């Protein structure tokens, strides 16, 4: 049998990948343009499984791309635009060197500009796909919006990022889409629900700026350029669906004393960036039932499921409570509190905010206003306190949003150490350890704090009774004997009464706890699902269950240690007393 001999490295992995240097030669681009093109098109390096086969027997470290991705890039229109900008820069340098001002002005007026609309349509066929990629977009835009003016980043890019983030925050306020807030060391985490998609982003604290030395700002600026275009298109779609005017315009005119602290050119932008004033609508009725087709399909599938209906009803009630959490409340912010963050959170929950007009533009009422209900302070002591308003620390606002109820303000008075600020993004599963602070926080939300205090006091009384019984054993024995006789006599009398007074009483309506019913149904479903697991997956399931049991045992051990420590503290207090 004759045939051609198969040569090495002419098929398989050796032909599926291409190195970066070969890709640059194929596309005839320099490294900077190649990077920007890959960032715009969403193409990134890959790690082959068999590097030695791909590199034809060599083990040298190289950056590889999929050959199909590079072939896809070779037909893009952005490559011609990059070449035009390359020639433009060359001609402009020549005109500047020859001091030909006429040629220089002509070239600057005819600078080649590329558009990323086609790239965004290509990468995100539907609007929901764009929303799912909005987390990184918002994080980077919020970071660039806080940058100072420097040589590393263009000023126009910083201003554009700030403009886009302000527009998005105005939409979240108008749609009341905010769901969770968490203040951490890195910044303030926000979570919003937009068209059924949960979007989480971080806004860094405004505490000065130290430029890091190990960051390539050119690459970051390329990402920011792309994300600004993406966020702009998303904002246009969101504003149009919610019947809001785009670009956003103020519904109310600012106060007279508030218009003298910024330039005429920047006045509108500064008042929009304050987030304290409402924006205009198109006048059309807002349809709340406009949902994504995927969400509608899921609702249609689960329409007959009673568990899904109950869960959706409970979630709708809690969301409605959160959206109107601060309705009818007026907040005044002191100088020392984070103004932009608190304004965004309060206004997203239907509250109204203001501050001293000397701090910045956007204040809507003065401190002397008698209708102010809460004043947010971050100082140990407050002078000239008024009796018609409540003074609280900033953490009260964030904790109220996470609890979806107005928490008691006595725990957040100025000068009092606040309760721990717990993350709403952490949800403990069944059997896992729940911190004591979180248990107290949940009881405070449900209004069970008084019951807990009563239990502690009852435990202390029982311990006191135990100590007294050790000192006087004879008295307790005599008392117990008398009690036994009384109990026997009462039991005989009660039997007689029961026999003589038999009657039919009206039945009471049984109260059904929806939460307990749902838990019982979920437990039954879980038990049936365990029974239906095939044998080949049973071993993996047993491993998972053993690890869960270990976690439960560790949680029990931690709980026992806490109880021992509590008892030791109580004994020490008694000894001191």
């Amino acid at each position: 049998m004759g045939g051609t001999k198969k040569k090495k490295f002419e098929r398989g992995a050796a032909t599926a990948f291409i190195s970066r240097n070969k890709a640059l030669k194929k596309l005839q681009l320099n490294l900077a343009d190649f990077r920007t093109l890959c960032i715009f098109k969403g193409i990134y390096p890959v790690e082959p499984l068999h590097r030695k086969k791909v590199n034809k027997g060599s083990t040298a470290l190289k950056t590889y791309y999929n050959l199909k991705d590079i072939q896809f890039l070779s037909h893009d229109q952005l490559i011609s635009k990059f070449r035009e900008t390359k020639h433009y820069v060359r001609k402009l340098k020549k005109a500047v060197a020859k001091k030909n001002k006429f040629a220089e002005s002509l070239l600057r007026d005819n600078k080649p500009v590329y558009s990323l609309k086609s790239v965004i349509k290509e990468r995100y066929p539907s609007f929901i796909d764009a929303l799912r990629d909005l987390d990184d977009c918002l994080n980077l835009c919020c970071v660039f919006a806080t940058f100072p003016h420097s040589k590393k980043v263009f000023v126009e890019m910083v201003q554009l990022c700030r403009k886009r983030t302000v527009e998005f925050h105005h939409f979240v306020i108008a749609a009341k889409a905010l769901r969770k807030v968490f203040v951490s060391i890195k910044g303030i985490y926000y979570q919003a629900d937009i068209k059924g998609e949960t979007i989480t982003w971080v806004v860094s604290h405004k505490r000065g700026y130290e430029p890091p030395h190990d960051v390539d700002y050119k690459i970051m600026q390329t990402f920011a350029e792309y994300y600004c275009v993406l966020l702009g298109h998303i904002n246009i779609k969101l504003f149009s669906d919610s019947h809001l005017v785009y670009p956003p315009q103020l519904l109310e005119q600012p106060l007279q004393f508030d218009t003298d602290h910024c330039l005429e050119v920047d006045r509108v932008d500064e008042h929009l960036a304050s987030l304290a004033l409402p924006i205009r609508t198109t006048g059309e009725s807002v349809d709340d039932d406009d949902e994504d087709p995927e969400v509608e399909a899921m609702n249609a599938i689960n329409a007959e499921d009673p568990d899904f209906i109950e869960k959706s009803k409970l979630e709708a009630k809690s969301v409605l409570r959160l959206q109107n959490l601060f309705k009818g409340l007026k907040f005044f912010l002191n100088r020392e509190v984070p103004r932009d963050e608190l304004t965004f959170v309060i206004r997203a929950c239907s509250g109204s905010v203001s501050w001293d007009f000397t701090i910045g533009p956007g204040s809507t009422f003065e401190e002397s206003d008698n209708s102010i209900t809460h004043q947010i302070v971050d100082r140990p002591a407050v002078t000239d306190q008024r009796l018609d308003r409540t003074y609280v620390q900033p953490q009260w606002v964030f904790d109220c949003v996470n609890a979806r109820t107005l928490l008691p303000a006595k725990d957040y008075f100025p000068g009092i150490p606040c309760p721990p600020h717990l993350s709403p993004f952490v949800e403990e599963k069944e059997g896992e350890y729940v911190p004591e602070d979180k248990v107290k926080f949940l009881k405070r939300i449900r209004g069970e704090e008084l019951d807990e205090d009563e239990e502690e006091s009852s435990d202390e009384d029982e311990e006191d009774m135990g100590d007294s019984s050790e000192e006087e054993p004879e008295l307790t024995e005599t008392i117990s004997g008398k009690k036994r006789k009384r109990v026997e006599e009462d039991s005989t009398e009660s039997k007689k009464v029961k026999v003589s007074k038999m009657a039919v009483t009206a039945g009471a309506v049984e109260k059904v706890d929806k939460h307990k019913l749902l838990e019982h149904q979920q437990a039954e479903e879980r038990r049936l699902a365990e029974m239906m697991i095939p044998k080949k997956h049973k071993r993996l399931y047993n491993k998972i269950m053993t690890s869960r049991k270990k976690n439960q045992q560790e949680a029990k051990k931690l709980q026992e240690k806490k109880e021992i420590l509590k008892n030791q503290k109580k004994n020490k207090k008694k000894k001191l007393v």
Side-chain angles (χ1 to χ4, degrees):
M1 293 291 290
T4 56
K5 190 178 179 181
K6 293 179 181 178
K7 294 183 180 180
K8 239 182 174 184
F9 309 120
E10 286 190 357
R11 60 176 186 161
T15 57
F17 300 94
I18 187 172
S19 65
R20 190 173 66 182
N21 290 331
K22 287 183 179 180
L24 292 174
K25 287 178 183 178
K26 185 171 184 176
L27 298 175
Q28 296 180 2
L29 291 172
N30 56 11
L31 185 58
D33 291 342
F34 177 72
R35 276 178 178 167
T36 55
L37 184 64
C38 288
I39 288 168
F40 289 161
K41 302 292 284 185
I43 290 167
Y44 301 102
V46 292
E47 182 65 27
L49 290 173
H50 305 286
R51 180 178 281 274
K52 200 170 181 181
K53 288 181 181 179
V54 174
N55 207 8
K56 297 182 180 179
S58 176
T59 56
L61 292 173
K62 288 183 181 180
T63 306
Y64 291 99
Y65 291 84
N66 281 321
L67 183 62
K68 288 183 179 180
D69 292 341
I70 302 303
Q71 288 173 350
F72 171 69
L73 287 178
S74 62
H75 302 290
D76 200 89
Q77 296 178 356
L78 289 172
I79 294 175
S80 60
K81 289 291 182 182
F82 289 157
R83 287 170 185 161
E84 285 178 14
T85 53
K86 193 176 179 181
H87 294 309
Y88 162 77
V89 170
R90 194 183 299 166
K91 287 179 181 179
L92 186 63
K93 282 182 179 178
K94 195 173 182 180
V96 170
K98 288 185 175 181
K99 296 181 180 179
N100 190 349
K101 293 185 179 180
F102 179 72
E104 184 183 347
S105 63
L106 276 176
L107 286 167
R108 289 188 187 278
D109 292 339
N110 297 316
K111 182 181 177 180
V113 180
Y114 54 84
S115 176
L116 297 176
K117 289 181 182 179
S118 60
V119 176
I120 288 169
K121 285 181 180 178
E122 183 184 301
R123 287 185 66 174
Y124 308 108
S126 66
F127 183 61
I128 298 299
D129 294 331
L131 283 178
R132 285 168 186 162
D133 201 19
L134 192 58
D135 296 351
D136 295 334
C137 172
L138 279 171
N139 289 335
L140 193 67
C141 288
C142 289
V143 167
F144 266 74
T146 59
F147 278 0
H149 294 177
S150 62
K151 295 179 181 179
K152 293 183 178 180
V153 182
F154 294 133
V155 179
E156 294 82 4
M157 185 60 64
V158 174
Q159 292 174 351
L160 186 61
C161 287
R162 185 169 182 248
K163 185 180 177 183
R164 295 285 179 259
T165 51
V166 166
E167 290 170 359
F168 181 77
H169 287 161
H170 269 294
F171 167 75
V172 174
I173 290 169
K176 296 179 183 178
L178 189 68
R179 296 292 177 266
K180 293 178 183 178
V181 188
F182 179 60
V183 183
S184 72
I185 298 169
K186 291 182 179 179
I188 300 177
Y189 287 81
Y190 299 106
Q191 190 177 87
D193 185 10
I194 299 173
K195 293 187 179 294
E197 294 292 328
T198 54
I199 296 159
T200 311
W201 72 98
V202 192
V203 178
S204 57
H205 297 295
K206 296 176 181 177
R207 291 188 177 179
Y209 174 76
E210 293 182 2
H213 301 288
D214 55 348
V215 175
D216 192 349
Y217 284 93
K218 290 181 181 178
I219 295 174
M220 298 297 289
Q221 192 160 339
T222 308
F223 274 104
E225 182 184 354
Y226 172 73
Y227 282 143
C228 274
V229 179
L230 174 63
L231 187 56
H233 284 280
I234 290 171
N235 287 341
I236 291 168
K237 175 69 174 171
L238 292 174
F239 272 68
S240 64
D241 288 351
S242 300
H243 303 288
L244 300 169
V245 177
Y246 187 87
Q249 299 175 8
L250 294 175
L251 184 64
E252 302 173 0
Q253 292 297 325
L255 299 175
Q256 292 181 357
F257 61 80
D258 195 26
T259 58
D260 302 330
H261 296 281
C262 58
L263 297 172
E264 284 280 345
V265 182
D266 302 330
R267 185 174 295 172
V268 177
D269 293 337
E270 289 296 326
H271 281 90
L272 279 170
S274 68
L275 302 175
L277 298 167
I279 56 174
R280 288 184 180 276
T281 60
T282 56
E284 300 176 10
S285 61
V286 181
D287 296 330
D288 295 332
D289 299 329
D290 293 341
E291 292 185 351
D292 180 57
E294 295 181 10
V295 178
E296 289 179 356
M298 287 294 292
N299 292 338
I301 291 166
N302 298 318
E304 298 178 357
D305 190 2
D307 299 345
F308 178 78
I309 293 166
E310 287 295 328
K311 285 178 183 177
S312 59
K313 283 181 181 178
L314 292 170
E315 184 65 23
K317 284 181 182 177
S318 64
V319 167
L320 186 64
R321 199 186 313 124
L322 174 62
Q323 289 175 346
N324 300 315
L325 184 62
F326 299 131
K327 193 172 184 180
L329 302 180
K330 273 191 168 184
F331 293 83
F332 189 85
L333 309 182
N334 271 27
R335 293 175 178 272
E336 66 273 6
V337 300
R339 180 165 53 92
D340 295 339
E341 291 80 1
L342 285 169
T343 305
F344 172 62
V345 172
I346 292 167
R347 287 219 52 232
C349 298
S350 304
S352 56
V353 198
S354 184
W355 50 84
D356 193 359
F357 70 95
T358 57
I359 300 172
S363 60
T364 53
F365 47 87
E366 297 181 357
E367 189 177 1
S368 58
D369 193 348
N370 294 326
S371 61
I372 294 172
T373 57
H374 293 78
Q375 187 163 345
I376 301 177
V377 184
D378 200 9
R379 287 177 181 168
V382 182
T383 57
D384 301 331
Q385 289 192 16
R386 295 179 57 168
L387 297 174
D388 59 347
R389 65 182 66 170
T390 308
Y391 293 84
V392 290
Q393 298 184 45
Q395 188 184 329
W396 181 78
V397 176
F398 303 126
D399 285 350
C400 285
V401 172
N402 294 333
R404 298 190 176 184
T405 52
L406 292 175
L407 296 172
K410 64 181 181 180
D411 298 330
Y412 300 89
F413 283 155
I416 296 174
C418 294
H421 181 57
L422 301 169
S423 174
F425 300 100
V426 178
E427 294 180 358
E428 289 82 6
K429 295 178 183 177
E430 187 181 353
E432 289 184 352
Y433 174 69
V434 182
E436 189 179 357
D437 297 325
K438 190 160 187 178
V439 173
K440 289 180 181 178
F441 181 71
L442 293 171
K443 285 186 177 180
R444 198 185 299 123
I445 292 168
R446 296 168 191 159
E448 298 177 4
E449 190 176 0
L450 291 171
D451 298 338
E452 188 180 357
D453 293 338
E454 288 174 2
E455 285 177 5
E456 288 179 1
S457 62
S458 64
D459 291 337
E460 290 176 1
D461 294 337
E462 283 177 4
E463 288 175 3
D464 294 337
M465 288 292 290
D467 295 335
S468 62
S469 65
E470 288 176 1
E471 292 173 359
E472 299 176 354
E474 295 177 359
L475 289 171
T476 52
E477 286 177 2
T478 55
I479 290 164
S480 61
K482 290 177 181 178
K483 280 184 179 178
R484 283 174 192 167
K485 289 179 181 178
R486 284 179 188 173
V487 169
E488 288 174 359
E489 290 173 0
D490 292 337
S491 62
T492 54
E493 288 176 1
S494 63
K495 285 178 183 177
K496 292 176 182 178
V497 170
K498 283 179 183 176
V499 172
S500 60
K501 294 182 179 180
M502 287 185 68
V504 179
T505 56
V509 179
E510 186 181 357
K511 293 181 179 179
V512 179
D513 193 355
K514 294 180 181 179
H515 294 283
K516 286 184 179 179
L517 276 174
L518 285 173
E519 287 177 0
H520 180 68
Q521 287 177 0
Q522 287 174 359
E524 286 292 323
E525 288 174 1
R526 197 183 302 118
R527 189 174 64 80
L528 291 170
E530 287 176 3
M531 290 171 64
M532 297 297 290
I533 293 172
K535 286 184 178 179
K536 59 181 179 181
H537 301 308
K538 196 77 175 177
R539 188 178 176 187
L540 179 62
Y541 177 75
N542 290 332
K543 283 184 179 180
I544 293 166
M545 293 306 294
T546 50
S547 65
R548 281 187 184 177
K549 285 178 182 177
K550 285 181 181 178
N551 291 332
Q552 289 176 3
Q553 289 173 0
E554 290 174 0
K556 284 181 181 178
K557 286 179 182 178
L558 287 170
Q559 203 72 29
E560 289 173 0
K561 285 181 181 178
K562 278 194 172 183
E563 288 176 359
I564 291 164
L565 289 170
K566 277 185 182 178
N567 294 329
Q568 288 177 357
K569 285 181 181 178
K570 285 179 182 177
N571 292 330
K572 283 181 181 179
K573 285 181 182 178
K574 286 178 182 177
K575 286 179 181 178
L576 290 170
V577 172

